[in-house]
Amino acid sequence: MNIEVLRYLEHDGREHVEELVAPTKYDSDATFAVIKILIANDGNEDALSDKQKFHLKTFVEPLIYGVRCSGIYGEDTCTGDGFVDDESLLMSYQEDDFKCQLCRYDAENRH
């Protein structure tokens, strides 16, 4: 679990969590509490109750696992596997530019 991304989502990237939770009946404060617990426990999911694990699976994991790569010219143009790799995820959130390493490289080196 990428703790640096969790820290980002807790502070500077709150809108990403709130955007995911908003259309539901759930409170984003509960999801942020889960994020805090995960950070404090170095990503150990065993520290969570069953209700908290629901927030993890529903609202946190979609933001840290399987995040779609936007590709060079759109989602269908990803030169990787279609997902942002763990190493690029924090940068993707910080720059609001969700590309895998291959697409970042290709985008920077295209003529």
Side-chain angles (χ1 to χ4, degrees):
M1 186 169 298
N2 194 322
I3 301 299
E4 290 304 312
V5 170
L6 290 177
R7 284 190 182 114
Y8 179 82
L9 292 171
E10 179 188 16
H11 297 288
D12 300 321
R14 295 182 69 86
E15 71 276 2
H16 296 285
V17 174
E18 290 166 356
E19 209 173 88
L20 200 55
V21 178
T24 72
K25 62 181 174 136
Y26 295 98
D27 184 356
S28 62
D29 288 342
T31 303
F32 286 113
V34 168
I35 290 172
K36 287 180 184 187
I37 292 168
L38 288 168
I39 292 168
N41 289 280
D42 200 34
N44 185 354
E45 296 175 24
D46 293 335
L48 301 174
S49 70
D50 287 342
K51 287 182 180 181
Q52 291 168 331
K53 285 180 183 176
F54 170 81
H55 281 269
L56 170 66
K57 299 287 182 214
T58 308
F59 304 119
V60 178
E61 286 186 355
L63 296 171
I64 58 175
Y65 301 126
V67 176
R68 302 281 310 159
C69 175
S70 62
I72 301 169
Y73 304 109
E75 229 174 70
D76 296 341
T77 64
C78 176
T79 56
D81 65 1
F83 298 98
V84 177
D85 51 280
D86 200 46
E87 294 80 17
S88 301
L89 192 56
L90 179 59
M91 184 186 319
S92 292
Y93 276 112
Q94 290 169 332
E95 297 176 358
D96 197 29
D97 185 18
F98 292 85
K99 288 185 176 74
C100 66
Q101 286 182 1
L102 291 172
C103 287
R104 281 186 186 281
Y105 178 82
D106 290 346
E108 290 169 6
N109 293 295
R110 67 179 171 210
H111 295 31

